[in-house]
Amino acid sequence: MFKRLIPLLALCVCASALAQPQLSDARLQQLATDSYWLSLGHYETGKLSGWRSHVDDPKFFLAATGPSQPAAELSTTLAALYAPANLGDRHAQCVFPARTRWLRAQLQLQDLPQPACAEFNTWYQDIAPHSAVLIYPAAYLNSPSSMFGHTLLRIDQADSDSNNTALLSYALNFGAFIEGSDNSMLYAWKGLMGGYPGLFALVPYREKLAEYTRLENRDLWEYRLNLTPEETGRMIEHVWELKQIRFDYFFFDENCSYRLLELLQVARPGLQLTEDFQLTAIPTDTVKAVNDAGLVKRIDYRPSRERELQSRAAPLSAAEQEQLLQLAAGSEQLDQAAFKALPRERQALVQDGAFRLLRYQANGQERDSVTAQRSFELLQAISRNPPPPLQIERPGRPEDGHDSRTWQLGAGSLGDRAFAEYGLRMAYHDLEDNLHGFPLGAQIEILNLKVRQYQGNDWQLQQLDLASIRSLTPRNQLLQPLSWQVRGGLERVPGTSDQDGEETLVSHISGGAGGTWQLSDELLAFSLGTGRLEHNHDFAPFVAPGLGFDTGLLWRNPLGNLRLEAAGDYFANGEIRRRLSLNQQWEVSQNLGLRLSAERQFSQLTAPTNELMLELKWYQY
């Protein structure tokens, strides 16, 4: 659509030259480097000099050099605003309403043509923007695109809050546009390297709400922003300018959160929300930035269906939970003597739990008549004997958790060799990290680098994890989730060496699956079967496969988190490697932790080795 503007502009250049104001070079540069014009063009300073736009779609620009020259884009836009009004919806004022509003105000343009802009006006009136809510669906480890959480905006009408009609609002989302069905590995690689285009989309909020709370069972946090109706409208005008405009999408920086920060800078001139996110933009950190900027006036929490089910079942005994399962499997159990023997208040809890379990199991499934009839009969029973209101304890807010980038400084010994260890992890949480705002048993680490300095100024690369993900979700009578882990990169392992005590650097990819059990409110036990592929110059094969195990305990204690773990790998070439480890972190503050680690390793290639380290961890973004 935008390319069609260029020949039309050429036809009307004489007329526009007579009407448009003539700007001096100084005034043109002043406007072109104004922070708001730069926000409208999504410009940033180039790597060496000049400017570059984050927009990777030439249709967004009127000037041929617009992606790198804000002044040329401004000058061309100003000329286009004076094109004949009979261009209708193709007129620059209709295509770029946010640019038009700003230039009109800056230059006091009173003589602009008046195109009808019917398409834009109809679209804008349907949305009726009045206020905005930042939505954070919590992290969901079982979806590669959602492991770090997500952010989107809800655009509310004037009466949404007072009439409780948020479901009629619109959701403004930025995400990767995926054609076809890429597998998880290809999805991750293309997401890291910018292989997907990113697009803005406005969809009914009820569709997004159903997707996150039902299909993915994710808690939702809603941050009502203090944007004025004018600021909200200004932002939505710019969204119109970005319809079907493609950005390169990167998981860790130019992602959903970063793009929404850019929109908020358009809504409220003067905000500087993106300048702290040059390397990564993790959703929790961007939520924190919005909160720190004073944009949040109220926070609401919506628990997922899974959390509602678990909360309803928590006070039930094992026998009552078994009856809950039987009710969900067949509503005729309502007439059984064992169920009728329960006190009425316990019956109410059991049948409500059974109904919630049915709804949970139906997530993403086609509705069938048997399940529908069973649900209806349970609802009838609930109406005759209603349970008390469900009280769900609100978890720690995600923005109150530690920051995502981690600097690490440690000192320890391997055998009789002392060392200092220096590390940097780009993102964002492991099993022992400060837990507030994170679920127990979840780990996502990306680009974790550790370098050691041994006595005698002997430096070596100790570890480089490209990714390390662990999902230790407890199993119970009602839900039987699979626990899993995957990890890949470089690490040191016991091996032969000319220098006594030195470990061998290997490349590997490993993973596993199994179960996790909740022994108490603060104690998890896990056991997984594992597999590993390793390239090790001590081995004859180029790549050696192995099978093994990984089992342990994870304890949330008064100091912080403790992990006791035993793991082993049994390689096809005969090598057997086992490891016992203990890690305890002391949560000094939200963004400071002190960790003690002890490990003993056994290998067929060397004598057993012992390692002890004390490590300071500073979380910062």
Side-chain angles (χ1 to χ4, degrees):
M1 179 174 63
F2 302 142
K3 286 185 175 179
R4 282 181 262 170
L5 284 170
I6 305 302
L8 293 168
L9 288 174
L11 292 174
C12 62
V13 66
C14 295
S16 64
L18 294 175
Q20 74 178 79
Q22 301 302 306
L23 302 181
S24 66
D25 289 343
R27 179 59 170 154
L28 178 64
Q29 288 299 323
Q30 179 190 25
L31 289 173
T33 55
D34 186 283
S35 61
Y36 196 70
W37 179 254
L38 297 175
S39 293
L40 288 174
H42 298 262
Y43 290 104
E44 67 169 4
T45 53
K47 300 299 183 184
L48 299 176
S49 62
W51 301 94
R52 64 172 288 270
S53 175
H54 285 296
V55 180
D56 301 291
D57 195 329
K59 298 193 301 293
F60 181 70
F61 302 98
L62 294 179
T65 58
S68 60
Q69 295 186 16
E73 186 67 16
L74 189 147
S75 180
T76 306
T77 300
L78 183 59
L81 298 184
Y82 282 90
N86 60 13
L87 290 176
D89 290 314
R90 296 177 298 164
H91 198 284
Q93 292 183 47
C94 304
V95 177
F96 296 107
R99 294 190 194 184
T100 303
R101 176 197 288 265
W102 186 74
L103 286 172
R104 180 187 284 119
Q106 294 298 310
L107 297 173
Q108 300 297 308
L109 304 179
Q110 306 297 330
D111 56 345
L112 286 175
Q114 301 296 317
C117 298
E119 289 183 6
F120 168 71
N121 289 331
T122 300
W123 177 85
Y124 188 88
Q125 290 167 11
D126 181 55
I127 297 168
H130 181 268
S131 59
V133 180
L134 178 67
I135 308 295
Y136 174 79
Y140 183 65
L141 288 180
N142 291 329
S143 171
S145 64
S146 305
M147 288 182 176
F148 295 95
H150 184 59
T151 52
L152 63 149
L153 288 172
R154 192 181 77 217
I155 308 301
D156 286 349
Q157 292 78 37
D159 60 351
S160 291
D161 203 23
S162 58
N163 292 341
N164 196 26
T165 56
L167 290 178
L168 302 180
S169 299
Y170 281 87
L172 174 55
N173 185 64
F174 179 81
F177 178 70
I178 304 170
E179 296 179 297
S181 54
D182 292 342
N183 61 48
S184 295
M185 292 296 294
L186 182 59
Y187 179 88
W189 173 254
K190 292 174 72 172
L192 288 170
M193 304 306 295
Y196 291 117
L199 295 173
F200 282 99
L202 264 171
V203 298
Y205 180 60
R206 61 181 178 274
E207 295 180 10
K208 276 294 174 185
L209 189 63
E211 175 184 339
Y212 288 123
T213 60
R214 298 177 187 174
L215 298 184
E216 292 190 348
N217 292 302
R218 303 166 72 178
D219 292 343
L220 282 186
W221 293 88
E222 300 181 348
Y223 300 83
R224 179 163 292 281
L225 306 180
N226 57 20
L227 296 181
T228 66
E230 180 183 3
E231 290 171 333
T232 306
R234 185 187 298 137
M235 178 173 63
I236 296 305
E237 287 177 345
H238 184 54
V239 171
W240 172 265
E241 298 177 345
L242 297 172
K243 284 182 63 179
Q244 301 304 311
I245 296 298
R246 297 191 172 205
F247 297 74
D248 287 342
Y249 187 94
F250 295 87
F251 281 168
F252 296 127
D253 52 4
E254 298 181 33
N255 54 23
C256 60
S257 295
Y258 189 88
R259 292 287 166 247
L260 294 187
L261 294 182
E262 289 184 319
L263 288 185
L264 293 175
Q265 291 178 163
V266 170
R268 181 170 292 176
L271 287 176
Q272 299 294 327
L273 297 174
T274 59
E275 57 187 16
D276 289 332
F277 299 99
Q278 299 302 313
L279 295 177
T280 58
I282 303 299
T284 51
D285 289 339
T286 59
V287 170
K288 190 176 305 183
V290 170
N291 194 37
D292 291 345
L295 286 167
V296 178
K297 68 177 182 180
R298 194 181 82 210
I299 301 175
D300 297 317
Y301 168 67
R302 290 177 181 266
S304 66
R305 281 188 171 180
E306 179 178 338
R307 189 179 292 271
E308 289 177 339
L309 170 61
Q310 299 278 30
S311 297
R312 178 55 84 197
L316 300 179
S317 67
E320 289 170 336
Q321 290 196 22
E322 181 60 34
Q323 288 184 320
L324 187 159
L325 288 170
Q326 293 175 5
L327 275 182
S331 54
E332 66 275 3
Q333 296 293 326
L334 289 167
D335 297 323
Q336 296 297 313
F339 178 72
K340 288 186 173 182
L342 290 175
R344 281 184 58 81
E345 63 272 13
R346 306 306 290 180
Q347 290 182 25
L349 295 177
V350 170
Q351 60 196 19
D352 185 60
F355 176 71
R356 293 179 184 276
L357 179 58
L358 268 182
R359 292 176 63 205
Y360 176 86
Q361 293 171 338
N363 286 347
Q365 305 295 323
E366 290 187 11
R367 187 176 178 86
D368 63 87
S369 58
V370 174
T371 302
Q373 179 63 27
R374 196 179 305 155
S375 298
F376 177 71
E377 291 170 355
L378 283 171
L379 278 176
Q380 286 182 313
I382 291 170
S383 67
R384 293 191 296 266
N385 182 19
L390 184 59
Q391 301 294 327
I392 297 179
E393 182 180 354
R394 178 182 289 203
R397 299 209 308 259
E399 76 274 14
D400 290 340
H402 66 76
D403 293 338
S404 61
R405 192 173 304 142
T406 310
W407 301 90
Q408 305 162 78
L409 174 63
S413 64
L414 175 62
D416 58 359
R417 303 176 68 204
F419 63 81
E421 184 170 283
Y422 314 94
L424 170 63
R425 181 183 65 191
M426 295 305 296
Y428 89 125
H429 181 77
D430 69 21
L431 296 179
E432 297 92 59
D433 279 335
N434 297 353
L435 194 63
H436 186 83
F438 294 88
L440 184 65
Q443 171 176 304
I444 309 174
E445 294 186 290
I446 302 296
L447 295 179
N448 189 14
L449 171 67
K450 294 183 179 180
V451 177
R452 283 189 179 177
Q453 180 187 15
Y454 283 94
Q455 291 172 308
N457 204 32
D458 177 20
W459 291 80
Q460 68 178 31
L461 174 64
Q462 181 67 20
Q463 178 180 327
L464 176 60
D465 279 345
L466 300 179
S468 176
I469 303 168
R470 306 183 80 174
S471 176
L472 305 179
T473 307
R475 302 164 68 89
N476 54 42
Q477 279 186 270
L478 303 184
L479 303 177
Q480 304 288 316
L482 187 70
S483 293
W484 59 274
Q485 62 188 31
V486 63
R487 180 168 168 247
L490 304 174
E491 68 174 354
R492 295 273 173 181
V493 300
T496 60
S497 175
D498 294 333
Q499 182 177 346
D500 184 42
E502 183 174 320
E503 298 177 306
T504 300
L505 185 67
V506 304
S507 57
H508 74 100
I509 182 169
S510 57
T516 300
W517 296 268
Q518 189 110 32
L519 304 183
S520 70
D521 288 344
E522 307 293 350
L523 184 62
L524 300 182
F526 60 91
S527 182
L528 294 85
T530 62
R532 182 179 175 99
L533 293 175
E534 180 174 302
H535 170 62
N536 186 331
H537 65 72
D538 288 335
F539 295 168
F542 183 78
V543 175
L547 297 175
F549 67 92
D550 192 345
T551 186
L553 297 172
L554 187 60
W555 177 35
R556 172 66 173 168
N557 57 72
L559 288 180
N561 295 324
L562 180 144
R563 174 168 56 94
L564 177 63
E565 190 167 10
D569 292 302
Y570 300 81
F571 290 90
N573 62 4
E575 160 70 337
I576 298 175
R577 191 182 300 147
R578 289 161 293 171
R579 184 184 77 254
L580 294 173
S581 61
L582 174 69
N583 297 272
Q584 169 70 58
Q585 175 140 327
W586 174 33
E587 298 177 355
V588 180
S589 67
Q590 172 184 307
N591 285 315
L592 198 64
L594 190 63
R595 182 175 301 182
L596 179 65
S597 302
E599 182 174 277
R600 183 170 175 83
Q601 292 203 66
F602 305 86
S603 169
Q604 300 283 83
L605 300 178
T606 65
T609 60
N610 297 316
E611 179 176 304
L612 184 68
M613 182 171 62
L614 185 64
E615 184 178 25
L616 182 68
K617 301 175 76 72
W618 175 41
Y619 308 91
Q620 175 262 347
Y621 71 86

